[in-house]
Amino acid sequence: MEDSPASNFLQNIVSEDLASGRVAEVVTRFPPEPNGYLHIGHAKSISVNFGLAEANGGRCHLRFDDTNPEKESQEYIDAIQADIRWLGYTWDGEVRYASAYFQQLYDWAVYLVEQGNAYICDLSPEEAREYRGTLTESGRNSPHRDRSVEENLDLLARMKAGEFDEGARVLRAKIDMSAPNVNLRDPILYRIRKVSHHQTGTDWVMYPTYDFAHGQEDAIEGITHSICTLEFEDHRPLYDWFLEHLPVTGRPRQYEFGRLNPSYTITSKRKLKQLVDDGVVGGWDDPRMPTVAGMRRRGYTPAAIRKFCDMIGTTRGDGVVDVAMLEFAIREDLNDNAVRGMCVLNPLKVVLTDYPQDKLEELSVAAHPNRDDLGSRVLPFTRELFIDADDFRAEANKKYKRLVLGKRVRLRNAYVIEADEVIVDDEGNITAVHAHTIPGTLGENPADGIKPKGVIQWVSASHGKRAEVRLYDRLFNHEAPDKGDNAFMDYINPDSLNVVHAAWIEPSLAAAVAEQGFQFEREGYFVADRYDHSPDKPVFNRTIGLRDTWNNG
Ligand code: ATP
Ligand code: MG
């Protein structure tokens, strides 16, 4: 891929490690928990991990950190893989799973017990919390901390055999209950959970904690640079403790960077799941969701998402990134690459009284104003057309540069017309406008020197096609919907979706293939819906408007 190597502090570390020979090859990994769909924050992590490997001739693993079976599922595993591929990245070798290492992790747990470095603790969760102390107060030793190795080995084996109930006992590391870093206060290594696992079925009735699994998985896989987000910084001493006290060969080093938090956006799988479960959106891939699948369905492109991830850089700061930067990257990509088309969202009929009933002109126009490689399209021009109702007024002041009675306007890619008369129904609603063409104005100004005031889009009423157009906008109307005590459900934008059931599109657009993106002239960027679009029943989603209406409004 042509992306420049991410020039950031992580790249500097990798460059030094390669130059000094500390590592011969860079091996990174992206380690999602399959408990939801990937979101824009994960896209950042993916671009960092895969990007570093790509830029340095290394490899990046995809490993599912599946230590929490109740919340995980095959649906998520499949979706995550599809999303990574769609973003344009390829993981090294087969998909990996933390669960494939469960036996090794268990053997290491036994090893820690044998070395006197782990013990079975019978404190209830409430008691354990009490013994743990606080940030300012040291913890206290569990009354079970000094069990003999033999007793611990026996209890651990019986725990594995399913003899004890959930919550009855845990395995803990024996480190230091007075450590200032609470993560080192005899952390839990294993919990009893009698649930079946999507990969290992009913093989296990106890599962390792994320903390016990994560670093060792990296060691097993020979990960050289274990990159994660800042909230794991305080866990690093624990991961290093495990590596020092276990007979592992690999020595991954962990580096942290700041999470991506775009404004107007939520990046927590738990909260995104709530939006899905509560029916606020249509699913994880609803075009309003900041999920990779949602952005895809919305018409965002992999190139634009990757560009954005590059643009914002990778730092150790945890600040908020203006979501307008993401939208800018999308607009820029689509402006450069999307074929143009005309769509009328709010149709008003125009009858060109001078234009013969049976006449048809097939105007050949460029698919893109400065991309000859994208070819041309055919626009049928006929006596009856639709224009947008907002583009006509019987009377208007000089600022209104569209069609006005007695005045002229250019139909985009076609003739200049002049409006003569409005047709109204019994209730006084305008049902049609009668107008006439100004001859000789295809690609030319009127010979009489009276120039049109503006340019509007149009679609032939007899040759255009009806379409459903889904107008999406930001899902939240608050800059930081889940900051602090904010109840994000209170900030759902009531106008995040408006469906236009009978828009009119130029006929070439009906032939769009699913997921093809367009600029509908004067309206914005749109995409043929991934699932619902067909030539017989065209469905388009608005990706984004032509301009940012949030910041300047
Ligand atoms: P969530 O809070 O949404 O559940 P998570 O961190 O629990 O996110 P994981 O599946 O564990 O989700 O994440 C996989 C990787 O993606 C981790 O290395 C994590 O640090 C990274 N990641 C998650 N969210 C972000 C984010 N907002 N910005 C950058 N990286 C992220
Ligand atoms: Mg996590």
Side-chain angles (χ1 to χ4, degrees):
M1 309 252 153
E2 62 175 27
D3 293 4
S4 60
S7 58
N8 55 54
F9 78 99
L10 293 169
Q11 177 58 54
N12 296 341
I13 289 167
V14 165
S15 300
E16 278 166 31
D17 288 345
L18 286 169
S20 72
R22 187 182 83 76
V23 301
E25 186 192 17
V26 177
V27 188
T28 57
R29 84 285 174 272
F30 174 64
E33 228 179 304
N35 60 352
Y37 279 57
L38 299 180
H39 53 60
I40 183 72
H42 295 114
K44 174 64 188 170
S45 175
I46 289 168
S47 96
V48 168
N49 281 296
F50 284 89
L52 275 176
E54 229 168 56
N56 296 282
R59 295 179 285 128
C60 181
H61 294 182
L62 168 61
R63 181 180 69 237
F64 288 104
D65 255 329
D66 53 348
T67 56
N68 211 350
E70 295 100 319
K71 294 188 170 163
E72 301 166 1
S73 76
Q74 190 64 42
E75 179 197 347
Y76 297 143
I77 290 175
D78 296 341
I80 289 170
Q81 294 182 55
D83 287 346
I84 297 171
R85 282 198 208 96
W86 178 74
L87 285 171
Y89 294 106
T90 309
W91 51 89
D92 177 71
E94 297 291 313
V95 174
R96 293 164 167 88
Y97 294 89
S99 53
Y101 312 135
F102 280 172
Q103 184 61 46
Q104 175 67 80
L105 291 167
Y106 178 76
D107 293 344
W108 279 334
V110 171
Y111 178 90
L112 286 179
V113 170
E114 287 169 347
Q115 300 288 311
N117 286 326
Y119 62 98
I120 300 286
C121 179
D122 307 349
L123 291 179
S124 69
E126 297 73 42
E127 290 167 326
R129 207 171 300 131
E130 215 179 285
Y131 274 77
R132 199 161 183 244
T134 63
L135 286 173
T136 50
E137 223 177 285
S138 157
R140 284 180 292 139
N141 284 353
S142 159
H144 313 110
R145 200 172 196 259
D146 295 319
R147 276 179 163 147
S148 69
V149 168
E150 289 67 38
E151 189 186 1
N152 279 318
L153 285 174
D154 174 62
L155 288 172
L156 181 58
R158 288 163 61 193
M159 193 164 138
K160 180 171 182 283
E163 265 186 51
F164 311 125
D165 289 337
E166 286 192 12
R169 298 194 148 100
V170 295
L171 179 71
R172 298 175 69 174
K174 194 189 278 188
I175 307 181
D176 180 3
M177 287 308 291
S178 62
N181 182 340
V182 291
N183 294 303
L184 295 174
R185 293 184 189 170
D186 292 9
I188 295 175
L189 309 184
Y190 270 92
R191 285 193 179 87
I192 299 169
R193 275 141 115 198
K194 299 192 169 173
V195 292
S196 118
H197 187 287
H198 48 95
Q199 301 301 310
T200 58
T202 51
D203 290 356
W204 296 90
V205 293
M206 54 186 247
Y207 291 95
T209 55
Y210 182 84
D211 275 348
F212 185 57
H214 194 77
Q216 281 80 279
E217 293 158 20
D218 284 344
I220 291 169
E221 294 185 4
I223 301 302
T224 56
H225 296 79
S226 173
I227 295 160
C228 63
T229 36
L230 279 175
E231 71 269 25
F232 292 105
E233 187 171 22
D234 291 347
H235 296 236
R236 176 153 34 95
L238 174 59
Y239 299 160
D240 287 341
W241 187 92
F242 289 133
L243 296 177
E244 276 155 30
H245 290 81
L246 288 170
V248 296
T249 45
R251 251 325 174 98
R253 284 199 196 167
Q254 175 173 304
Y255 303 94
E256 306 88 16
F257 70 96
R259 286 176 87 88
L260 164 59
N261 305 304
S263 58
Y264 292 94
T265 307
I266 277 174
T267 52
S268 146
K269 280 180 281 187
R270 183 179 59 77
K271 292 172 188 166
L272 294 175
K273 185 168 188 304
Q274 199 183 330
L275 294 171
V276 175
D277 291 345
D278 291 2
V280 174
V281 294
W284 284 97
D285 65 354
D286 185 293
R288 292 165 290 181
M289 290 283 270
T291 52
V292 174
M295 292 189 287
R296 175 177 183 174
R297 199 164 174 199
R298 177 79 173 254
Y300 288 20
T301 61
I305 294 171
R306 290 170 62 139
K307 177 82 183 289
F308 166 70
C309 290
D310 246 30
M311 220 158 75
I312 57 177
T314 309
T315 68
R316 286 181 51 84
D318 236 346
V320 171
V321 167
D322 191 344
V323 75
M325 286 177 74
L326 172 59
E327 295 169 347
F328 170 82
I330 306 302
R331 281 194 190 94
E332 197 178 50
D333 181 26
L334 294 175
N335 186 41
D336 290 348
N337 299 304
V339 162
R340 274 36 175 182
M342 289 196 286
C343 170
V344 170
L345 291 172
N346 185 12
L348 169 64
K349 186 167 276 187
V350 170
V351 179
L352 299 172
T353 49
D354 64 319
Y355 203 86
Q357 191 83 47
D358 51 1
K359 185 169 174 185
L360 168 69
E361 279 178 281
E362 296 196 311
L363 309 174
S364 174
V365 306
H368 190 287
N370 34 35
R371 288 278 305 274
D372 290 346
D373 59 305
L374 294 176
S376 60
R377 58 191 218 264
V378 173
L379 274 180
F381 190 87
T382 55
R383 175 181 166 93
E384 298 202 352
L385 311 170
F386 289 116
I387 65 168
D388 199 286
D390 292 338
D391 286 338
F392 173 77
R393 283 189 199 165
E395 289 171 57
N397 65 23
K398 287 205 164 101
K399 280 195 206 139
Y400 186 78
K401 299 208 178 334
R402 307 179 215 173
L403 187 60
V404 179
L405 264 192
K407 301 270 167 55
R408 293 177 177 184
V409 81
R410 166 153 323 261
L411 297 175
R412 176 81 179 142
N413 294 307
Y415 293 96
V416 173
I417 63 168
E418 189 172 309
D420 303 312
E421 188 188 350
V422 291
I423 311 299
V424 293
D425 64 15
D426 295 343
E427 279 134 39
N429 304 306
I430 298 176
T431 55
V433 174
H434 284 187
H436 65 273
T437 60
I438 309 298
T441 51
L442 270 185
E444 303 288 338
N445 276 324
D448 61 10
I450 305 173
K451 287 188 186 167
K453 295 186 72 181
V455 182
I456 62 173
Q457 77 272 27
W458 57 276
V459 169
S460 159
S462 50
H463 288 64
K465 300 264 197 272
R466 265 176 78 140
E468 177 178 321
V469 179
R470 300 165 181 169
L471 300 175
Y472 292 104
D473 202 345
R474 290 182 187 169
L475 182 57
F476 294 102
N477 53 21
H478 191 290
E479 214 170 84
D482 63 345
K483 192 178 177 190
D485 293 333
N486 283 351
F488 64 97
M489 287 293 187
D490 294 346
Y491 299 117
I492 304 288
N493 173 10
D495 281 326
S496 64
L497 171 59
N498 284 303
V499 181
V500 177
H501 294 282
W504 285 86
I505 54 173
E506 64 172 78
S508 69
L509 290 175
V513 293
E515 300 198 72
Q516 190 179 354
F518 295 91
Q519 185 195 98
F520 289 175
E521 300 193 65
R522 299 184 66 236
E523 290 291 356
Y525 296 100
F526 291 77
V527 68
D529 188 74
R530 187 177 170 192
Y531 302 113
D532 300 336
H533 172 83
S534 72
D536 295 333
K537 192 182 166 293
V539 179
F540 290 89
N541 302 330
R542 180 167 68 193
T543 308
I544 191 135
L546 292 174
R547 276 170 290 285
D548 186 357
T549 52
W550 284 78
N551 280 345
N552 317 318

